[in-house]
Amino acid sequence: MTANVAGYLLQMLASRWLGVTGYSEFASLLAVQLLCAVPALALQNVVARERVRGADVAALRGLQWRCAVIVAIVAAVLVPVVTAVLSVGVLASAAALGAAPALVLLSGEQGILQGSRRFRALAIVLGAAGVARVVPALVVLAAGGGTAPALWAAAIGVVVAAAFARSTAGSPASRVRAPATQRSPDVTPEGPPGGAAAAGAMPGFTVEGPTPATEGGAGTRDDDRPSGERPPAQERDVFEDEAARSRCENAAEPAAEQPWLGGAADGSAAGRRTRGTSGRAAQSVRSVGVLPVLRAAQVQAALMALSSADLIVARVVLDEADASRYALGAIAAKIAFWLPQAVGVVLYPRMAQPTHSARAIRDALAVLSGIGIIAVVGAALAAPVAPLFAGQDYAPIEGLLWLFALQGALLAVLQGALLSAIAVDRTALAAVTWLGLAIEVVLMTCFARSVPTMITTAVGVAAATTMFVAVIVLRTADRSGTAEPGVSG
């Protein structure tokens, strides 16, 4: 919430300080920056998903550095392209694109926290990142700086936020054990025969901070609870038992190499099961590469493009004043879009677990729809006071703010549906969103020549795309839920 409020404050004050003629450049470059954040958002989702499945933190950090290098190269190539297409300064374009590699590193650390269910630490990082990005830009704008200096200040803030996120996520120090029901009979609380000191951490069990507390004992937990404090029973069932089961079922080394896991030498059924699950996990842990990030990135790219394309097209087809008014109205869309961000953050780890995925998807879409309705009503009621903050030059869009909020609310539901697709690695669904984007751009470019026409087109495309994707996701979740024994809801 802190990050979102800071972002909205930046746009509101920038619209006043830069004026109706200067804000269009700033807003269009912010839209480009959002598109450049696509690899970062995709990386966060992939890292969180693989962390839930037991991937090693060191391997995930190696992945985020590889992605950051790729993004830096692409961003450098795109600087002259953005400068020419949007008719903006080269320094401003470089500033908007230059933040992309740092955003990748920041999002990678956020994915580690999210997948580890350290939501308190994640909330601190998200809030700090929003403040670190916005405050330097506000200081520059307040001092009379233009678009380029403000965006460079924001980019430096992102670098600082990435370093803070890395420090907060920290380095894992010991193993996490599976529940007793999931361990091999030969595995004792002290580890394999011979003791933990002789064998070290159990292969395949994710390293992440001190060992969780045992019954009546103390320890540090993934969700940042104080030592010895036990969570509610339902939360333990959902977040701890399933996480430990996922780690146990994804052991990193075959049992044949670890006789103390049981069954490796005698060929028993238990041994065959252990070898099968451990083999799958070894492949899962070692196969975390750039390809899953690219698959998730094309989903995020479709969503971010659909949420930002209208701002970029407005810069091309509308005059300077109307483009700035449309950009200010789009703040209402961004508020409605990002307001329920925490819903996806909290429910995403459950979406990535087959036994809870269907219920988590239904819960997410229901909550997002409810928040969207509240956002649209709030925008309609607050519309008369908008010119007081932004200036009377923006009064012509006062009656359209509820439409902008509706667009953002629809895209928030679409984001929840697409997140569920990433969680189960069914990213082909993004094709529907890409089709919606193409239709929107064609319609706006050919027919939209005013603010009302632009936003009406955007809302219509967002509604059709969201409805189609949501229906597919819900039907797929229902089929998957009936196929899983013991799934509730």
Side-chain angles (χ1 to χ4, degrees), residues 255-267:
E257 300 175 8
Q258 303 293 336
W260 52 269
L261 282 175
D266 59 12

Side-chain angles (χ1 to χ4, degrees), residues 453-466:
T453 308
M454 288 278 294
I455 186 57
T456 301
T457 303
V459 169
V461 172
T465 305
T466 300

Side-chain angles (χ1 to χ4, degrees), residues 173-176 190-192 195-207 253 258 260:
S174 65
R175 70 181 183 270
V176 173
E190 289 74 27
M202 292 168 58
F205 284 72
T206 305
V207 173
E253 295 192 22
Q258 303 293 336
W260 52 269

